[in-house]
Amino acid sequence: GAHISAITNQDVPTSPPQNVSASFISSSSIIVQWSPPPKDKQNGVIKYYSVLMEELFSNTTFNYNTTDLYITIEDLHPFYVYEFNVVAVTIGDGPIAADMFQMPEDVPSGVPQDVVASPLDSRTLSISWSAPEIHLHNGIIRIYRITVTDVESD
């Protein structure tokens, strides 16, 4: 019998990247990994993967393109929540694989504001302050440590 073969035109993938996961490297960097869409759903040659990430506190978005099956993202903010989408691209974008993660906590990068110390009597001080700016908390502030140093006066 006769054997006929034909190559059809490419199309966009009909399945998203598989097994998308994020792993923390530190409180400010992650590695996002994925597997290709199933072979029969790629519908052409995958040129690259597009990773769109949104930082939800400020609605800042970042876009990365890579031919690898992972991307390392640095300079993220500790304790912030990020949402990310990964798509495979042939002649256009395939369906989105989406996930969300919260960065681990870190020590605050800001100091208490508006610190005021006033003597109540010869042995008692009243000390007040307000929290560091919210974007510098880097997590949940659980305690404030106050150190009082006795300074000799002449």
Side-chain angles (χ1 to χ4, degrees):
H3 178 75
I4 299 173
S5 87
I7 296 175
T8 57
N9 290 334
Q10 293 193 83
D11 199 352
V12 297
T14 49
S15 174
Q18 307 292 293
N19 310 311
V20 177
S21 68
S23 306
F24 302 116
I25 298 169
S26 72
S27 63
S28 61
S29 59
I30 59 158
I31 183 166
V32 179
Q33 300 172 279
W34 57 89
S35 306
K39 268 278 189 227
D40 62 335
K41 308 266 197 234
Q42 291 180 13
N43 301 330
V45 177
I46 295 175
K47 290 196 282 196
Y48 59 90
Y49 294 90
S50 182
V51 180
L52 178 72
M53 198 171 70
E54 182 177 10
E55 186 261 284
L56 299 182
F57 181 74
S58 67
N59 295 324
T60 307
T61 57
F62 311 90
N63 197 76
Y64 309 92
N65 293 332
T66 179
T67 54
D68 295 323
L69 294 173
Y70 68 92
I71 187 164
T72 302
I73 304 171
E74 298 177 333
D75 300 322
L76 299 177
H77 202 289
F79 209 59
Y80 277 29
V81 177
Y82 293 87
E83 185 175 65
F84 62 94
N85 300 328
V86 182
V87 298
V89 180
T90 54
I91 60 168
D93 292 4
I96 291 169
D99 204 354
M100 187 180 286
F101 60 92
Q102 182 171 29
M103 295 301 293
E105 289 186 275
D106 203 346
V107 298
S109 52
V111 298
Q113 304 291 300
D114 311 315
V115 178
V116 177
S118 13
L120 297 181
D121 59 39
S122 63
R123 299 176 55 92
T124 313
L125 278 177
S126 167
I127 303 172
S128 65
W129 63 90
S130 42
E133 296 176 58
I134 188 83
H135 66 279
L136 302 176
H137 284 197
N138 298 342
I140 297 167
I141 295 178
R142 291 168 176 82
I143 63 168
Y144 289 91
R145 183 172 295 121
I146 300 167
T147 305
V148 178
T149 307
D150 189 8
V151 178
E152 294 291 323
S153 57
D154 292 332

